[in-house]
Amino acid sequence: MATAAAGPQGVKPRREYERVKAPALFKFQKQGDVIEGGLASIEPKEVNGKIVREFMFELENGDRVTCLSTNDLEKKIQAKHIGHPIRVRYANDDSSFQKAGQSAMKVFEVDVDMKNFWPGYEHLQAS
């Protein structure tokens, strides 16, 4: 029977833990609001009985934020953008499709750097 390598009895390796915070929910409230960072994930989430996509971004300072998809973002942000630098800016409102009792559709400018990877996501690069 093989045994593990012997080390000092009763000595546990020193661990250096860091507190991990849950990502904050970012809400685009006014025109000009921006999220800029690396797109970390796209996950389904149930909100008010409906399944929507939740985008998670890693910011320059290491914090993470999420935002819920809108009709416009749903069409622009894609799975192939995961791991790449991305900037999402709330540009304006479009009331051309607005129905009575509804708010205008938020329109976003989405810019993605597909030539580079966000730090820590280089492993997604094709060989």
Side-chain angles (χ1 to χ4, degrees):
M1 178 172 175
T3 58
Q9 293 293 327
V11 176
K12 293 183 179 180
R14 179 175 170 82
R15 305 209 193 295
E16 296 186 26
Y17 294 102
E18 292 182 23
R19 179 71 35 101
V20 178
K21 298 185 289 184
L25 178 62
F26 183 89
K27 292 186 178 183
F28 291 96
Q29 296 181 342
K30 63 184 186 308
Q31 292 179 18
D33 283 352
V34 175
I35 293 177
E36 186 170 358
L39 181 61
S41 67
I42 302 171
E43 299 289 335
K45 182 174 183 163
E46 186 174 343
V47 177
N48 299 328
K50 293 175 74 175
I51 300 296
V52 298
R53 295 197 311 166
E54 180 180 56
F55 303 111
M56 184 182 305
F57 302 87
E58 186 173 320
L59 307 179
E60 193 79 45
N61 65 5
D63 288 348
R64 295 173 303 151
V65 298
T66 61
C67 77
L68 298 177
S69 183
T70 66
N71 189 38
D72 191 50
L73 290 176
E74 193 72 32
K75 295 173 185 172
K76 294 176 179 175
I77 300 177
Q78 303 169 30
K80 70 180 182 179
H81 300 145
I82 293 174
H84 292 279
I86 187 167
R87 179 177 50 232
V88 180
R89 180 179 170 275
Y90 176 12
N92 57 48
D93 294 316
D94 181 355
S95 58
S96 64
F97 300 102
Q98 189 174 353
K99 295 179 184 175
Q102 289 184 334
S103 55
M105 182 178 84
K106 292 180 179 177
V107 177
F108 296 88
E109 295 171 348
V110 177
D111 301 303
V112 182
D113 178 354
M114 293 299 289
K115 293 183 180 177
N116 295 293
F117 283 88
W118 193 255
Y121 292 85
E122 297 86 357
H123 64 282
L124 298 175
Q125 189 171 359
S127 324

